[in-house]
Amino acid sequence: MNTHGDMFALVRRNRSLRRLLAALAVSQAGDWLYNLALLVFVYDRTHSVIWTAVTTAARVLPIVLLCPFGGVLADRHDRRRLMIASDLVRVATMALLGVVALAGLPVLLAPLLAAVSTVAASAYPPCVAATLPRLVKDADLPAANAARSAIQSVSVIAGPAGGALLLVLGSPAMAFLLNAATFAASAVILLTLPAGALFSPAGTGTGAKAPGVFRELWTGAMALRDSPLASRLVGADIMCSLTYGAQTVLLLLLGRRLGYGDAGYGYLLAGYGVGGVFGAGLASRLSAARNPRYAVGAVLLTVAVPSAMLAVTPCLTGAMVFAVAIGGGSVMVEVVADTALARALDEAVLARAYGLAFPASIAGIAVGSLVASPLVTLVGLAGALAVVGGAVAAYAVFLCLPVAAARNRPPQYSAIPDPANVPAL
């Protein structure tokens, strides 16, 4: 089974899916493109590690805190309009960042504008997650989610590389302004998609009064609780995020221990991204497994064992092979978790549930990075790498334990026909 071929064939024949993923690709590339330029700009202006850390927090924390509310918005309002509005706000913030850099305005504006940009992006991931099942048949959903994850993995590699090139050729201001252009391009692509049922949340037009925001968040949380399979698979995704977060610190130390310094760290992170691209191509087969719990449990072991083996690897080449394996396994778990959510939950709560699962995964990265340094202090670098691998292996065992039946399993999604795609399907 050629899962890469399945993924690309699906994107080629489904025009609306192709355009949505194109907009996502441009938007995510923009998210990663300016990150390096932003940190370089703030550090050059302040020469302060604290200012740099504050700027990073301003970029990350809003998505963790506000993405659940973005899920509520995606379950209440037209998702196409929300994504376009998100892109337009980010066009404005990037343009203003360019002005700050060019005009020498107070550096405090940089983290503030970065935070506004992240706030504007908080509804985007739930909108995409809730729209994908409308665009494809249930059998094609794993390939669609795999394509989305491949875009993210490529963006992780290409975005920072493009930002670094822009810094060599130009300046942070150039990176900010080009980034504004990427968000504008994303909005234009979204405008070419047909408005209507594809992007309307379930229940639109019923005339019923919408419940309160916190009640809707609670409903999304209960939907996750009532689907033990989906919640355990989301937990597996969070474990992979914890692993990545810890290794963003541990791999820096490993690169130096192997004698390659910061360059070695860059090679290892690139290995993560390359593995993610390959993992996205294999994820369709994993999602089609009769029992995804056991399949994901096996894949978690392909994350756990290489994570532990990093503790004893004697050379950079071996470490990069392990990094590729970890990155590939992590993306495969992510795709299966996203597919399980779409199949197990009622579409009326999917955006809210994803709005809770996605920031939990992002928070996992932050938690992993925070615990890495104390782990190294307690048990050394090799011990910390082994502990991370052991934690993932333990969750793999838990994942394979018996699961209670879902309390009220709703019907699966059925794709809403897109007139532009009917002849090709």
Side-chain angles (χ1 to χ4, degrees):
M1 180 179 179
N2 187 344
T3 51
H4 277 94
D6 290 345
M7 183 171 64
F8 293 130
L10 174 63
V11 173
R12 281 197 304 268
R13 71 173 184 259
N14 191 318
R15 188 171 69 183
S16 291
L17 175 65
R18 185 167 63 248
R19 292 181 181 180
L20 178 65
L21 292 178
L24 178 67
V26 175
S27 181
Q28 286 211 340
D31 277 333
W32 286 96
L33 178 69
Y34 94 105
N35 185 47
L36 179 61
L38 177 67
L39 297 181
V40 168
F41 168 70
V42 170
Y43 187 79
D44 284 348
R45 288 282 299 273
T46 64
H47 300 288
S48 168
V49 174
I50 294 177
W51 268 98
T52 306
V54 168
T55 303
T56 299
R59 261 186 48 78
V60 174
L61 285 179
I63 201 73
V64 175
L65 298 175
L66 297 179
C67 194
F69 298 97
V72 172
L73 288 176
D75 274 339
R76 285 187 174 187
H77 302 287
D78 183 278
R79 292 156 186 163
R80 176 174 170 270
R81 292 177 183 174
L82 284 173
M83 289 186 285
I84 292 171
S86 170
D87 280 331
L88 293 179
V89 172
R90 287 185 285 176
V91 169
T93 57
M94 291 302 110
L96 289 172
L97 269 173
V99 172
V100 169
L102 290 171
L105 297 179
V107 73
L108 175 62
L109 293 173
L112 290 177
L113 288 169
V116 172
S117 180
T118 304
V119 169
S122 61
Y124 207 104
C127 284
V128 174
T131 300
L132 277 183
R134 296 273 189 91
L135 297 176
V136 300
K137 297 176 180 178
D138 182 75
D140 290 328
L141 186 57
N145 280 323
R148 183 181 58 167
S149 291
I151 287 170
Q152 181 176 344
S153 297
V154 171
S155 297
V156 170
I157 302 171
L165 181 62
L166 284 174
L167 289 176
V168 172
L169 299 178
S171 65
M174 178 186 293
F176 299 148
L177 295 175
L178 180 60
N179 202 26
T182 66
F183 291 126
S186 174
V188 170
I189 295 171
L190 289 170
L191 283 169
T192 67
L193 284 165
L198 287 172
F199 299 97
S200 298
T204 298
T206 61
K209 182 180 178 181
V213 170
F214 290 101
R215 181 176 292 276
E216 291 199 55
L217 285 175
W218 180 253
T219 302
M222 291 302 98
L224 283 173
R225 183 203 66 179
D226 292 343
S227 178
L229 173 60
S231 58
R232 284 201 188 186
L233 291 176
V234 169
D237 186 28
I238 294 172
M239 284 302 302
C240 290
S241 294
L242 282 165
T243 301
Y244 175 75
Q247 290 182 348
T248 57
V249 177
L250 301 178
L251 293 183
L252 174 62
L253 302 177
L254 180 63
R256 291 175 177 174
R257 192 189 76 179
L258 294 175
Y260 289 86
D262 294 345
Y265 179 55
Y267 296 146
L268 292 172
L269 287 184
Y272 252 95
V274 171
V277 174
F278 285 108
L282 296 172
S284 297
R285 180 177 299 177
L286 188 66
S287 295
R290 179 174 299 178
N291 195 323
R293 283 192 304 121
Y294 298 135
V296 171
V299 173
L300 280 177
L301 292 179
T302 71
V303 174
V305 173
S307 295
M309 291 299 294
L310 285 171
V312 295
T313 184
C315 63
L316 181 65
T317 301
M320 287 187 65
V321 171
F322 293 142
V324 170
I326 297 167
S330 297
V331 168
M332 292 172 73
V333 171
E334 176 192 343
V335 171
V336 176
D338 289 350
T339 302
L341 277 180
R343 287 175 167 171
L345 303 183
D346 191 310
E347 68 169 305
V349 298
L350 177 57
R352 274 169 282 169
Y354 189 81
L356 293 166
F358 180 74
S361 179
I362 300 298
I365 297 175
V367 171
S369 65
L370 289 174
V371 303
S373 182
L375 268 179
V376 173
T377 301
L378 287 173
V379 297
L381 176 58
L385 289 165
V387 167
V388 170
V392 177
Y395 192 89
V397 173
F398 167 73
L399 184 64
C400 294
L401 295 177
V403 175
R407 300 189 181 187
N408 290 295
R409 192 177 188 278
Q412 291 183 353
Y413 261 95
S414 57
I416 294 177
D418 179 357
N421 296 326
V422 170
L425 292 176

